[in-house]
């Protein structure tokens, strides 16, 4: 890919006979430029994805509640997210009096930045990854654990009781659900014997197709990870941090315009990230679900891995919306009870079960590194 | 010394760490101090990454930034601290604190200056003792291997210490207090209709009136 791009520019500038001159300027900075191009290739589709995920949410929720949803701007309301974006850009930024101006301004950035940074280690297809690092899983965990600061700081800097209550709730919630999430991922890295995300996906490649993915041996962990993922992103039914009916809108109640939009972007980027990670860890990433299934397997193997990856992500994200339409909000004490008294002990036991299982001949998943 | 990108990053990160650490002890607002401590952790994680200790660096962010400091902030934000009252008795305790600071400083210099510490000490050390590894070298695996073989006793001892601390913390806070209300979930789940609802046969008004006539 990189070579083709360079070749194209060489052909282009050679039309004017300037290639050598241009390259002498560009060559020292080329690795930097190429990385920037890759970052844009990840972030730009992600932002468009976020915009249309909000549209999908409104449409799907509407149909589930026998409504029509947005249908005025563009065909079937398809331009609605763009209209919303423009509206938010032109809205007045209101900073509450006696708030902490600097922290108030920086907290939306702290929510959004780790949500984007985590994407740098996510492989979209075999080899299609910005940074293929060995401790990828740990990097993801640490990045997602930073996002909570944006929420806490926003709540504190707003100097508003609702915002503060929302921040306190969300801090407790995100710290509690990080633990079962971490233990679920410990099971995954036990099974894959690697923290590299590409290795984790390749460890799920068997001739059994979708029955070889880690959601089969680690099914309880798949469920726990997904529940924890919904809780980490502060989504219904775990959205006590926002809780419209109790504390107005929680931590971002004082934000308007682009400040609010950044929180919104961060929340949805995190949801898409959880969708992508669930796919990578438990649903075989870019692997073909019919691989090794005779004729079907041979034909479906021709579909590029990126399509499978995105298809699985859509499925998980649809589940997010489905949950929101189906379940009532958890009460705060029930939320804490579920996290500390059910999920954490359960995952702790399952880590031991998986470790013991791997010592027996009944563990049929081979590891990548042997 | 060639000024490559890594050296530049090192000076940038360590300067940030030192400045943030200074702010931790000088800023008036305790919430700001806690946030500066987070920044210090971040910068140190960056320095550790430069030393190819990626597991430790990410664990520092995950554990200290992602969990410990969140709970710290949680508590600090809820405190209503009177800054005037904090400064009472500052000069009374100053000599004691100064002696303590000097002792700590001497200790630090002795450790960093000794020949055993990595690098060649304070005199012209280049830090060239850091061994660089190939890209597929797994720091995590190596660390795990060492912890569970060579340092297994120390590691288990630390684990037991933490367990004792956990039990102690729970035992201290989890006293039974009279008059508190809490839910018994098992009882709530096992509730039957007959425990809550009683069907009473009431004759309707219309019927009663026709019966009267």
């Amino acid at each position: 890919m990189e070579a083709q791009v360079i070749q194209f520019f060489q052909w282009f500038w050679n039309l004017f006979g300037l290639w050598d001159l241009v390259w002498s300027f560009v060559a020292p900075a080329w690795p930097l430029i190429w990385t920037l191009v890759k970052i844009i290739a990840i972030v730009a589709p992600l932002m468009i994805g976020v915009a249309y995920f909000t549209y999908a949410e409104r449409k799907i929720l509407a149909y589930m509640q026998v409504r029509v949803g947005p249908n005025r701007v563009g065909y079937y309301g398809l331009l609605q997210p763009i209209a919303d974006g423009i509206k938010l850009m032109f809205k007045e930024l209101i900073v509450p009096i006696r708030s902490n101006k600097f922290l108030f301004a920086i907290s939306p950035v702290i929510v959004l930045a780790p949500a984007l940074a985590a994407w740098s280690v996510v492989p979209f297809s075999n080899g299609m990854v910005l940074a293929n690092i060995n401790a990828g899983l740990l990097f993801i965990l640490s990045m997602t654990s930073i996002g909570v600061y944006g929420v806490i700081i926003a709540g504190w800097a707003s100097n508003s009781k609702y915002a503060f209550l929302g921040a306190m709730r969300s801090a407790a919630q995100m710290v509690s659900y990080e633990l079962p999430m971490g233990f679920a991922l410990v099971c995954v890295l036990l099974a894959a014997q690697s923290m590299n995300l590409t290795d984790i996906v390749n460890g799920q490649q068997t001739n059994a197709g979708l029955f070889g993915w880690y959601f089969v041996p680690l099914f309880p962990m798949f469920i726990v990870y997904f529940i924890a993922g919904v809780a980490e992103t502060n989504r219904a039914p775990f959205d006590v941090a926002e809780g419209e009916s109790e504390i107005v809108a929680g931590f971002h109640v004082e934000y308007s315009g682009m400040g609010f939009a950044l929180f919104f972007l961060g929340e949805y980027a995190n949801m898409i990230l959880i969708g992508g990670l669930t796919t990578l860890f438990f649903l075989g990433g870019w692997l073909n679900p019919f691989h090794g299934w005779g004729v079907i397997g041979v034909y479906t193997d021709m579909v590029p891995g990126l399509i499978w990856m995105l298809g699985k992500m859509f499925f998980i994200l649809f589940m997010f919306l489905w949950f929101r339409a189906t379940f009532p909000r958890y009460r705060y004490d029930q939320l804490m009870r579920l996290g500390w008294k059910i999920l954490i002990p359960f995952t702790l036991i399952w880590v031991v079960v998986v470790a013991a299982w791997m010592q027996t001949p009944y563990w049929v998943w081979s590891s990548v590194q042997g | 010394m060639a000024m490559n990108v890594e050296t530049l990053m090192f000076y940038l990160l360590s300067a940030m760490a030192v400045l943030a650490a200074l702010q931790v002890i000088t800023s008036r607002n305790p919430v700001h101090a806690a946030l500066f401590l987070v920044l210090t952790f971040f910068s140190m994680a960056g320095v550790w990454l430069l030393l190819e200790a990626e597991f430790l660096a990410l664990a520092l962010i995950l554990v200290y930034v992602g969990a410990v400091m969140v709970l710290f902030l949680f508590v600090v934000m809820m405190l209503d601290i009177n800054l005037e009252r904090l400064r009472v008795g500052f000069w009374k305790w100053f000599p004691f604190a100064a002696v303590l600071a000097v002792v700590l400083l001497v200790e630090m210099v002795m450790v960093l200056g000794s020949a055993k510490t990595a690098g060649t000490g304070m005199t012209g050390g280049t830090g060239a003792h850091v061994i660089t590894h190939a890209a597929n070298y797994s720091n995590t695996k190596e660390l795990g291997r060492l912890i569970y073989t060579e340092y297994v006793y120390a590691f288990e001892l630390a684990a037991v210490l933490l367990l004792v601390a956990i039990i102690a913390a729970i035992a201290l806070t989890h006293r039974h207090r009279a008059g508190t209300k809490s839910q018994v979930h098992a009882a709530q789940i096992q509730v039957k209709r007959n425990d809550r609802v009683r069907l009473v046969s009431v004759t309707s008004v219309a019927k009663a009136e026709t019966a009267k006539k």
Side-chain angles (χ1 to χ4, degrees), chain B residues 92-208:
Chain B
K92 194 177 131 200
W93 291 104
F94 182 78
F96 177 68
V99 169
L100 210 63
V102 169
V103 168
L104 278 176
L105 187 72
V106 169
E107 270 183 4
M108 199 88 98
V109 168
M110 277 167 76
V111 168
L112 290 178
S114 78
K116 275 185 183 173
T117 319
T120 46
M122 301 187 73
T123 49
T126 53
H129 287 254
V130 177
I131 309 150
T132 47
H133 293 282
N136 61 357
Y137 171 80
S138 178
N139 183 286
T140 317
K141 214 168 214 173
E142 214 49 51
L143 198 71
R145 201 164 280 150
L146 273 179
I147 281 179
Y148 286 104
T149 56
E150 217 168 300
Y151 300 106
V152 68
Y153 291 123
F155 182 67
E156 296 292 328
L157 211 63
V160 170
L161 193 68
L162 282 175
L163 187 68
V164 170
I166 292 171
I167 294 171
I170 293 173
L172 280 175
T173 52
H174 202 77
R175 292 203 191 105
H176 184 77
R177 262 168 265 140
T180 53
K181 288 179 182 172
S182 66
Q183 293 175 308
V184 184
H185 290 90
Q188 283 186 326
I189 291 164
Q190 284 180 347
V191 115
K192 293 280 182 307
R193 193 200 66 166
N194 288 340
D195 302 339
R196 297 279 163 87
V197 187
R198 189 164 52 93
L199 267 186
V200 183
S201 161
V202 181
T203 44
S204 69
V205 179
K207 256 189 193 166

Side-chain angles (χ1 to χ4, degrees), chain A residues 308-319:
Chain A
W308 291 121
M309 172 88 191
L310 292 179
K312 292 167 192 174
M313 278 168 67
F314 281 135
F315 172 70
I316 297 288
L317 292 177
F318 178 74
M319 300 274 281

Side-chain angles (χ1 to χ4, degrees), chain A residues 154-193:
Chain A
W156 184 76
S158 296
N159 196 23
S160 148
K161 61 185 168 208
Y162 295 120
F164 190 63
L165 279 173
M168 288 292 116
R169 284 180 174 198
S170 116
Q173 177 186 346
M174 284 166 107
V175 169
S176 331
Y177 278 80
E178 230 159 56
L179 295 168
M181 196 177 211
F183 282 127
L185 292 185
V186 165
C187 288
V188 172
L189 75 90
L190 273 179
Q193 298 190 9

Side-chain angles (χ1 to χ4, degrees), chain A residues 44-330:
Chain A
L46 180 66
M47 286 295 123
I48 296 169
V50 165
Y52 277 91
F53 189 40
T54 65
Y55 171 77
E57 173 166 38
R58 294 170 73 177
K59 267 299 196 197
I60 289 169
L61 282 184
Y63 283 126
M64 282 182 179
Q65 295 160 355
V66 206
R67 295 183 285 117
V68 182
N71 68 339
R72 292 287 129 183
V73 194
Y75 288 102
Y76 302 103
L78 271 172
L79 294 177
Q80 186 67 46
I82 296 172
D84 286 343
I86 292 170
K87 180 197 77 175
L88 284 171
M89 256 185 261
F90 286 106
K91 271 181 115 170
E92 186 188 353
L93 280 171
I94 297 166
V95 181
I97 340 164
R98 299 194 60 199
S99 67
N100 191 315
K101 305 279 183 306
F102 177 72
L103 290 179
F104 186 81
I106 206 173
S107 54
V109 182
I110 300 176
V111 168
L112 184 60
L116 296 181
W119 281 96
S120 60
V121 295
V122 172
F124 293 93
S125 176
N126 207 354
M128 223 168 121
V129 52
L130 179 63
N132 191 10
I133 63 172
N134 277 329
L137 194 145
L138 207 59
F139 179 80
I140 294 263
L141 266 178
S142 44
M143 280 302 126
T144 46
S145 69
I146 295 169
V148 64
Y149 278 98
V151 174
I152 301 181
I153 294 172
W156 184 76
S158 296
N159 196 23
S160 148
K161 61 185 168 208
Y162 295 120
F164 190 63
L165 279 173
M168 288 292 116
R169 284 180 174 198
S170 116
Q173 177 186 346
M174 284 166 107
V175 169
S176 331
Y177 278 80
E178 230 159 56
L179 295 168
M181 196 177 211
F183 282 127
L185 292 185
V186 165
C187 288
V188 172
L189 75 90
L190 273 179
Q193 298 190 9
S194 171
M195 294 213 289
N196 183 310
L197 297 184
T198 308
D199 285 350
I200 288 174
V201 173
N202 283 333
Q204 305 177 47
Q205 177 75 285
T206 59
N207 278 330
L210 65 96
F211 296 114
W213 299 344
Y214 286 148
F215 83 92
V216 176
L218 307 175
F219 187 74
M221 291 301 101
F222 170 54
I223 302 296
V224 167
Y225 181 80
F226 194 40
I227 292 174
V230 175
E232 281 282 293
T233 46
N234 284 328
R235 289 289 299 182
F238 304 109
D239 58 344
V240 290
E242 289 171 34
E244 296 91 342
S245 53
E246 303 154 22
I247 47 173
V248 199
F251 62 94
H252 58 51
V253 68
E254 302 290 346
Y255 283 84
S256 66
M258 277 319 275
F260 171 75
L262 283 182
F263 276 121
F264 213 69
L265 281 177
E267 183 185 333
Y268 281 77
N270 266 325
M271 270 160 80
I272 298 178
L273 181 70
I274 292 290
L277 294 180
T278 314
T279 306
L280 287 173
F281 294 141
F282 296 101
L283 300 178
W286 60 83
L287 299 179
N288 176 5
F290 309 113
H291 181 78
W293 287 17
V295 185
I296 311 172
V298 174
Y299 281 110
T300 46
D301 273 346
M302 290 179 214
V303 178
L306 184 64
I307 305 283
W308 291 121
M309 172 88 191
L310 292 179
K312 292 167 192 174
M313 278 168 67
F314 281 135
F315 172 70
I316 297 288
L317 292 177
F318 178 74
M319 300 274 281
F320 268 93
L321 305 183
W322 197 1
F323 284 172
R324 181 169 171 193
T326 310
F327 296 124
R329 182 179 301 131
Y330 260 68

